Amino acid sequence: MDALWKQGSSCDWPAAATVIINDDDAAAEELLRRGPWTVDEDALLAGYVAAHGEGRWNDLARAAGLRRTGKSCRLRWLNYLRPGVRHGDFTPREQLLILDLHSRWGNRWSKIAAHLPGRTDNEVKNYWRTRVQKHAKQLGCDVGSHRFHDAMMNLWMPRLLERIHADETAAAAAATAAHNVSRYYSAASPSHELLSSSQPAYGNAAPMGNCARAPSPDASSVTGSSWSREASPPSQFQSSSCSTMAGCSTSTEQCQNNGCSSATSVDMFDESWSELLARANHDDTEFGLGQTGDNWWSLEDIWEQPLY
DNA sequence: AAAAGTGTCAACCGCTATTCC
DNA sequence: GGGAATAGCGGTTGACACTTT
């Protein structure tokens, strides 16, 4: 198929580009859009899937009136529009799980993503390529090398575990404190409800977001990258920092679903996560915290540079 | 303030596997 | 059984935002 690309000036939708498919049959010529999705396209796709469900994506694209390939529609739906998709920084738990699963399975992104609720293979892949490979580069080695593996096992992962533990300890303390405060106000005055109602309103408005996420993107945000970037907290690991209930804009249940380290029990990673912790507890040689003497990365490297 | 460099991530590409006819 | 269509996967690219000089 010969394809001639041109910028979308002639297109009804802004930006992006269109492709003209040159076919022997002129009647078959059609315009297909590519590039960033618009709000209108998102609405069309989401609305159609909501009404009719997922199906054959090429047919769906046509039926929905989208000038996109089925492949493009599928990708947009899976990576962005599908309910439950999460965006934003990876929590320390997620980072740890990615490191662990990648060490077992390699670049099996979809398989790894399947263990990270709400995360897509694309996001996991991007995380690996941008963050993890960057550290490997700093070490002057390849991500597949023994050196990198050792650094990951002896430095990175133990510190992620430390961080997670610290977060959970803080969360437990905060939850206890909140409980006590609640009891105090409950006893002292019926107006304690104000405490809970003072939570930011956008928590419910963005049910798919993680706890650190800002309000829903406004209509001018098209691809999602803009708002996710804007919403990204400046401090590392902030996405897990809804450990204090006061700082979390979502309910406890949402927090759990979103992987936040709230004080209460259910863990989003279930089996994989417990396996990991079990290994951490029983395999000191791999996860030992005392093996940081060979300092390829300084502590500053580990914690000052973003691991997310 | 502007240019250059860097990081991030959505979207696309090409390939393989699976399903359908 | 075989070919076409579709789904799914991993790799790559390009645009944009941010940082550094």
Side-chain angles (χ1 to χ4, degrees):
Chain A
M1 171 176 73
D2 293 327
L4 171 66
W5 302 102
K6 68 176 185 180
Q7 290 303 315
S9 58
S10 64
C11 182
D12 293 343
W13 284 294
T18 56
V19 57
I20 299 175
I21 301 171
N22 291 327
D23 200 303
D24 291 341
D25 182 2
E29 183 178 284
E30 58 180 327
L31 289 175
L32 287 178
R33 279 175 51 77
R34 52 174 290 173
W37 281 65
T38 64
V39 173
D40 288 343
E41 287 177 303
D42 280 347
L44 260 180
L45 179 57
Y48 193 89
V49 173
H52 302 95
E54 299 175 37
R56 298 166 80 87
W57 288 103
N58 282 337
D59 295 343
L60 188 152
R62 251 177 267 120
L66 286 160
R67 303 209 307 252
R68 295 271 184 176
T69 65
K71 207 169 180 174
S72 180
C73 293
R74 175 185 162 271
L75 208 63
R76 184 63 177 172
W77 173 256
L78 291 178
N79 286 345
Y80 193 76
L81 298 175
R82 178 171 51 103
V85 171
R86 299 169 57 219
H87 297 279
D89 295 337
F90 283 92
T91 66
R93 287 176 176 230
E94 289 174 310
Q95 294 171 51
L96 187 56
L97 197 54
I98 290 170
L99 294 178
D100 179 58
L101 296 180
H102 188 276
S103 71
R104 296 191 220 176
W105 299 330
N107 297 356
R108 301 292 305 280
W109 307 121
S110 59
K111 193 172 178 179
I112 293 171
H115 287 75
L116 295 159
R119 299 294 189 179
T120 66
D121 56 349
N122 212 27
E123 261 196 309
V124 174
K125 182 170 56 183
N126 281 334
Y127 168 78
W128 186 266
R129 295 188 67 84
T130 57
R131 268 75 160 209
V132 179
Q133 288 194 342
K134 182 179 76 179
H135 284 296
K137 200 175 176 181
Q138 287 169 346
L139 278 172
C141 62
D142 187 81
V143 287
S145 67
H146 285 299
R147 188 181 189 197
F148 183 77
H149 182 265
D150 287 347
M152 192 175 74
M153 287 298 186
N154 296 326
L155 287 169
W156 201 341
M157 294 174 87
R159 297 198 186 287
L160 280 170
L161 283 167
E162 283 179 16
R163 181 70 191 206
I164 292 162
H165 180 69
D167 284 349
E168 289 179 347
T169 302
T176 303
H179 180 64
N180 290 340
V181 168
S182 174
R183 286 177 56 194
Y184 172 79
Y185 278 99
S186 171
S189 163
S191 65
H192 69 279
E193 289 176 6
L194 288 174
L195 287 174
S196 55
S197 65
S198 66
Q199 300 286 337
Y202 55 73
N204 290 335
M208 294 183 293
N210 66 29
C211 293
R213 185 169 161 180
S216 299
D218 64 37
S220 64
S221 296
V222 173
T223 66
S225 59
S226 55
W227 64 262
S228 64
R229 229 188 289 270
E230 287 162 7
S232 294
S235 63
Q236 58 187 338
F237 303 126
Q238 189 165 336
S239 59
S240 68
S241 69
C242 54
S243 50
T244 63
M245 293 308 292
C248 184
S249 61
T250 58
S251 69
T252 301
E253 185 181 353
Q254 284 171 321
C255 256
Q256 288 164 0
N257 289 339
N258 292 337
C260 303
S261 48
S262 63
T264 42
S265 55
V266 183
D267 193 306
M268 64 185 284
F269 295 117
D270 292 321
E271 194 177 347
S272 298
W273 176 242
S274 51
E275 278 178 25
L276 189 59
L277 282 178
R279 285 208 289 129
N281 289 334
H282 292 97
D283 193 349
D284 288 341
T285 58
E286 285 200 4
F287 286 89
L289 299 178
Q291 297 190 355
T292 58
D294 193 1
N295 218 2
W296 292 320
W297 289 336
S298 67
L299 292 183
E300 287 72 20
D301 283 335
I302 296 296
W303 294 120
E304 296 298 326
Q305 299 195 8
L307 285 172
Y308 51 83

